[in-house]
Amino acid sequence: MVARRRIDIAEGHAALAAWRSGDRTRPVTAMAVRFSLEELAARAPGNSVEVRVPPFGVTQCVAGPRHTRGTPPNVVECDAETWLALVTGGTSWSDAVDRGLVAASGLRAELSAELPF
């Protein structure tokens, strides 16, 4: 299954570049988060892990057993600053988890192989 894109790839990369350069305005952060969630779903297609970055977005990714009802068994959740730091290489997965910046539950909720892009 191919991930559905809502954000133009060039616009998404521009938002990530702006965020990396220090533009932390809400519109730039929102676009960068939403684009990066789409990119994660494209790079790691599947439905076994739900990644939540409130209030900006959520996606399902990683191949494995499909989740259909209730709370998913594999969930990753963090704030936008942490998510974008993970995506851009500003922090590592293990460091963010060790510092309590990422809540990851379930056997498949480990995204170090997917991040950064």
Side-chain angles (χ1 to χ4, degrees):
M1 177 180 187
V2 176
R4 184 176 60 174
R5 294 268 188 186
R6 293 182 179 170
I7 296 172
D8 178 76
I9 292 173
E11 288 178 27
H13 283 292
L16 279 174
W19 188 88
R20 267 193 209 108
S21 297
D23 186 347
R24 302 297 203 262
T25 59
R26 187 173 175 87
V28 167
T29 299
M31 169 113 23
V33 168
R34 290 175 183 141
F35 171 72
S36 61
L37 289 171
E38 288 180 2
E39 187 68 15
L40 175 64
R43 290 172 183 238
N47 297 94
S48 69
V49 178
E50 186 168 288
V51 180
R52 302 172 180 169
V53 185
F56 299 113
V58 63
T59 196
Q60 290 187 350
C61 58
V62 181
R66 181 177 177 83
H67 163 74
T68 57
R69 305 184 102 195
T71 302
N74 301 288
V75 176
V76 172
E77 187 167 344
C78 61
D79 62 38
E81 288 287 317
T82 301
W83 175 251
L84 292 174
L86 288 164
V87 167
T88 61
T91 192
S92 70
W93 176 262
S94 60
D95 185 49
V97 171
D98 290 346
R99 292 176 33 213
L101 300 173
V102 173
S105 63
L107 296 174
R108 296 177 183 273
E110 207 283 342
L111 299 178
S112 63
E114 310 304 331
L115 302 170
F117 326 139

